[in-house]
Structures are given as C-alpha cells and as structure tokens.
Amino acid sequence: VAPFFFAWLVGSILTAELARANIGWVEPIKAMKYNQENEIKGTFGAVLRANYYPGDIGFDPLGLKPTDAAEFAEMQTKELNNGRLAMLAAIGMLTQEQVTHSTLF
C-alpha cells in the first residue's frame, strides 16, 4: 500500500475528529477562561457547548433521528447494545475458527 494512502487516511481522520470536536466543545482558550473565572478545577480547557448532546453531531441525511431527547438516548442505547452483541458474535466466530482450524465461510 502506498504511503500516500496512510497520509490521506490520517488527514481524513484528523479532519473528521476536529470537525466533531468543534461541534461539541467550546474552544480551549474560552473554556480555560471560563474554568478560571468559575474556579472549576481538574478540567483543563474542557467545556461542552450548552446546546450539544453527546453523540449528536447533526448528521442525519435520511431524517431518522428522533426529535425527543429521551427517544434519542434510547436509540443510542439500542445502538450500543447491538454493537456490543455484534462484537461478541465476531469473537465467537473467531474463537470457533481457532479451535476447529477451519474457516466458517
């Protein structure tokens, strides 16, 4: 694989993470000033925006996201639980392949 691909991959991940951080977090300089003015200890430049709900970055092209906060939290929980179940299933499949020394598919 060409080194350019890895440079592009790192740049893409960096761009996505910076965009996500800008949606949910107050700029570090403003956050540090806020923490200092309010005598908040232990959070170096970390303040969530008032209108930000963790996990909601505004990407919903099909309009499937619930508008109610409780429904959104329930949907997030369902998504996490299904992801965990899928990881356990994958571990089970990998373990079976290792024990039987034959592929599943």
Side-chain angles (χ1 to χ4, degrees):
V1 179
F4 175 75
F5 171 75
F6 291 107
W8 173 83
L9 182 65
V10 168
S12 298
I13 292 171
L14 178 67
T15 302
E17 288 298 317
L18 286 174
R20 184 192 56 80
N22 281 332
I23 290 171
W25 296 89
V26 174
E27 291 77 13
I29 302 298
K30 292 179 184 176
M32 286 187 288
K33 188 175 183 181
Y34 174 83
N35 289 343
Q36 185 178 19
E37 289 171 356
N38 295 302
E39 297 180 6
I40 299 173
K41 305 289 184 202
T43 58
F44 180 76
V47 175
L48 282 175
R49 296 187 189 276
N51 60 348
Y52 175 69
Y53 183 81
D56 184 12
I57 58 172
F59 181 75
D60 186 27
L62 299 177
L64 300 174
K65 182 185 87 168
T67 55
D68 182 37
E71 289 178 23
F72 184 71
E74 182 181 347
M75 188 66 76
Q76 278 185 319
T77 302
K78 288 178 182 178
E79 185 176 341
L80 284 172
N81 288 337
N82 288 334
R84 290 173 181 149
L85 183 62
M87 286 187 280
L88 286 173
I91 289 171
M93 291 169 55
L94 292 172
T95 304
Q96 181 179 352
E97 284 186 349
Q98 292 297 316
V99 170
T100 63
H101 299 291
S102 64
T103 60
L104 291 175
F105 303 106

